[in-house]
Amino acid sequence: MSTIKKILKPAIQRFYQHKAKTKLSELRNINSQNTNKIADSIYATLKNNLNHDEKKWIDKIEQKRKSLNVSKDPVLISDFGAGDANDTRTNNEMNSGVLIKKTIGEVCQTASKPYFWSLLLFKLIREFKPEISIELGTCLGISGAYQAAAMTLNGKGKLVSLEGAESLATLSVEHFRQLGLDNTSVVQGKFQDILTSVLEKNHPVDFAFIDGHHDEQATISYFEQFIPYLSDKSIIVFDDISWSNGMRQAWEKIENNKNVKIALDLRAIGICMFDKDLKNKHKFRITMY
Ligand SMILES: C[S@@+](CC[C@H](N)C(=O)[O-])C[C@H]1O[C@@H](n2cnc3c(N)ncnc32)[C@H](O)[C@@H]1O
């Protein structure tokens, strides 16, 4: 980052935070318990509000992230996703997987959700207290650890996380164990092969985080697969909705789906809320960062 950008960053962040707070008041005006909960989660994330127990858990996970970030251990990954935003992987390639060799540090630095967004997942889970949360894309387990830690503090809830690469699935199980998060299970396999059976065994789904296979059609198809298994008031968070044109198109289709009552476009991620008690659809666009 250039020196000028570094100097300006706090001022830009303050500007966006101020704008975000105005939008949060609009969200609160809808006056449903759940929109207030979303607004509270976003506000707490922006302010980095943590109580003593929350801080203890988050420090522990960030300590883990730190050690993974510097790990030079190699890891061989079968990648069933879309690759980089500029990649043009065919369906065949995504289906058979592309073999990639990296260090654990490289994987953690590039693929794990940064602190800010992981904290938002944590705060959403603290507010909504889901019984069942499903994650698509475990990787090394960082975002999963945030969700599971929030559920531990809630005193209820379990995380089922899906990961295609065998190597990463094995590592994440070990990381959850080291962190003492026994409310997690990792199911290894391609989302397209295992999602239905995972949903059959684990529903109604209260919360889901979709963070893998950033392909337009695949994202829409996973969203549609979730719908019959969702609880009456549930949340799905989509990562990287602005990552490529295809992902933008997928998001537009998802936010316009009739079952989605609140759609929040936070630029990097999208949050959909399903709430049968809300008659009208509300869409918000908030730049937070
Ligand atoms: C961005 S990473 C997830 C990062 C993780 N949620 C975190 O923040 O800690 C995406 C993961 O999804 C997995 N993945 C991508 N496409 C997949 C597919 N079609 N089936 C199964 N796993 C897939 C990749 O192997 C990768 O580990």
Side-chain angles (χ1 to χ4, degrees), residues 80-81 111 113 137 139 142-143 163-164 168 189-192 211 213:
F80 301 102
K113 281 269 70 41
C139 198
I142 295 294
S143 60
E163 172 54 52
L168 294 176
K190 284 186 275 179
F191 305 150
Q192 48 275 53
D211 182 20
H213 203 173

